[in-house]
Amino acid sequence: MDCMERAISLARLALGSSSPNPAVGAVIAKDGVIIGEGYTQPPGYYHAEVVALRQAGKEAHGATMYVTLEPCCHFGRTPPCTQAIIDSGIAEVHIATLDPNPLVSTRGKAALDEVGIKTKLGEHEEEARELNEAYVKFITTGLPFVNVKFAISLDGKIATKTGDSRWISGEGSREYVHQLRRAADVIMVGVNTVLSDDPQLTARDSSGLEKQPLRVIVDGEARTPPTARLFSEPGTTIVATTPAAAPNRVKKLEKAGAEVLEFSPREGLVNLEELIRELGRRELTSVLVEGGGTLLGSFFEQGLVDKVIVFIAPLIIGGKEARLAVGGKGAERIAQALRLSRVKVERYDDDVMIVGYVGY
């Protein structure tokens, strides 16, 4: 593993805790030996570069830094990293990719160039940009990045005709889903998923988590039971409703600990565009939508999906009444179907995972 690859692996450790800041990793090397490394701490604390510099100490003088994102050059919650790099005596900085933030883009690199620090741009750039794809969208649009995830049988079903869905995917796939949850700011499901599965909607990890993603239940009529398991889990839950929600149901959900937000209806359902804008206003940069079919259908039809993650299990469920992954009106012709781009295929035990991006 080279130094930039190491920096990218460190940056992944910051996913889920650095938001709305980008997840950044930094490595400092001298004479072929790593003398300092770090990754972005929660907002208000040290950035990756400063963590690495503090570890390297005086040895940083004359060394080379490898960082996954262009160092910041402005005062935000913390002082600019470029000044810390300059003060340390670092001789060379390798930057995987520029920061799309207008306050930083090209300026951080220029600040280093101006004082004679040699800079090199573009090592493992694609990996670095994918790592922070949610940050890139948020900082340029103010909207969160929307991932849609579901698991299906070979014949495209997410549950039997009775609603049973435990477990379609295997253990390896489910472990990876918890990594996806850990990296997300928001986990979102529709009310039917809550009614049929009573999910916990938490990111479970053997190393423990300091905070859980925000849970959002899309529930236009406030049908979510106040006794649902998710209300007893650590973290916060929002129930997104419409004016059709009965006030007494809303009060019961609030008493259970939910924050209930009302949105205007769209074809009788929660206006998802309004909901996504509200999440962006709260500086939530990434959303993981996990179903069910009605909610996923609405997300696709309203053009709100950025990335799709599908697990295909070697099962045949059968039955015309078995539940499908994506509802809604659907395409009338194949030419109108959404086709994913930049597709990747991986395997988890007997399951196949297909990941791709949506271009509307």
Side-chain angles (χ1 to χ4, degrees), residues 1 31 35 54 82 119 122 138-139 151 174 178 184 196 202 220 252 258-259 265 276 281 297 299 301 313 318 322 342:
M1 179 183 293
D31 300 324
I35 59 174
R54 287 170 65 87
T82 49
T119 60
F138 174 74
I139 205 67
R174 297 198 299 273
H178 283 291
S196 62
T202 54
K252 288 179 181 179
E259 179 183 1
I276 290 297
R281 189 187 67 78
F299 261 100
E301 289 181 355
R342 290 183 283 156

Side-chain angles (χ1 to χ4, degrees), residues 291-307:
T294 300
L295 182 63
L296 295 191
S298 296
F299 261 100
F300 281 112
E301 289 181 355
Q302 294 178 37
L304 299 174
V305 179
D306 296 297
K307 188 175 183 178

Side-chain angles (χ1 to χ4, degrees), residues 4-160:
M4 189 61 81
E5 286 177 328
R6 173 62 181 166
I8 287 173
S9 69
L10 288 167
R12 290 196 176 98
L13 298 177
L15 288 171
S17 63
S18 63
S19 181
N21 293 333
V24 180
V27 169
I28 300 172
K30 193 173 189 179
D31 300 324
V33 177
I34 293 177
I35 59 174
E37 58 183 29
Y39 55 89
T40 312
Q41 300 303 295
Y45 295 93
Y46 295 125
H47 289 189
E49 300 93 321
V50 174
V51 175
L53 287 169
R54 287 170 65 87
Q55 189 178 111
K58 293 180 180 180
E59 288 297 310
H61 193 276
T64 299
M65 174 179 283
Y66 299 81
V67 62
T68 58
L69 189 70
E70 181 181 16
C72 65
C73 54
H74 66 293
F75 280 89
R77 294 183 178 94
T78 59
C81 290
T82 49
Q83 192 58 52
I85 294 170
I86 294 167
D87 293 343
S88 73
I90 286 280
E92 188 172 333
V93 178
H94 293 220
I95 303 166
T97 187
L98 294 175
D99 189 334
N101 186 342
L103 295 174
V104 180
S105 188
T106 72
R107 297 180 185 181
K109 180 179 181 300
L112 301 176
D113 291 333
E114 286 172 7
V115 297
I117 295 177
K118 184 179 178 181
T119 60
K120 184 177 180 181
L121 179 65
E123 291 178 35
H124 297 282
E125 181 172 14
E126 184 178 347
E127 294 169 75
R129 285 188 65 83
E130 183 177 343
L131 182 72
N132 275 307
E133 58 195 6
Y135 166 76
V136 170
K137 181 182 179 184
F138 174 74
I139 205 67
T140 54
T141 68
L143 299 173
F145 188 91
V146 177
N147 295 282
V148 159
K149 185 277 297 179
F150 53 91
I152 60 173
S153 61
L154 281 177
D155 54 341
K157 308 298 197 303
I158 60 170
T160 67

Side-chain angles (χ1 to χ4, degrees), residues 197-243:
D197 297 344
D198 195 16
Q200 293 169 275
L201 297 183
T202 54
R204 296 185 286 282
D205 189 281
S206 59
S207 62
L209 290 174
E210 291 186 6
K211 73 178 185 71
Q212 286 287 338
L214 171 70
R215 294 180 288 269
V216 175
I217 314 302
V218 181
D219 180 6
E221 297 180 355
R223 293 186 293 136
T224 300
T227 55
R229 283 200 302 171
L230 56 89
F231 291 124
S232 62
E233 295 292 334
T236 305
T237 301
I238 286 177
V239 178
T241 68
T242 68

Side-chain angles (χ1 to χ4, degrees), residues 176-197:
Y176 182 67
V177 168
H178 283 291
Q179 293 181 39
L180 294 174
R181 288 180 174 183
R182 182 186 183 121
D185 289 341
V186 178
I187 301 171
M188 184 183 296
V189 297
V191 63
N192 289 331
T193 296
V194 176
L195 292 172
S196 62
D197 297 344

Side-chain angles (χ1 to χ4, degrees), residues 143 266 270-278 302 304:
L143 299 173
R266 177 168 173 166
V270 171
N271 188 316
L272 296 177
E273 188 174 353
E274 285 186 9
L275 173 56
I276 290 297
R277 281 203 305 267
E278 173 61 21
Q302 294 178 37
L304 299 174

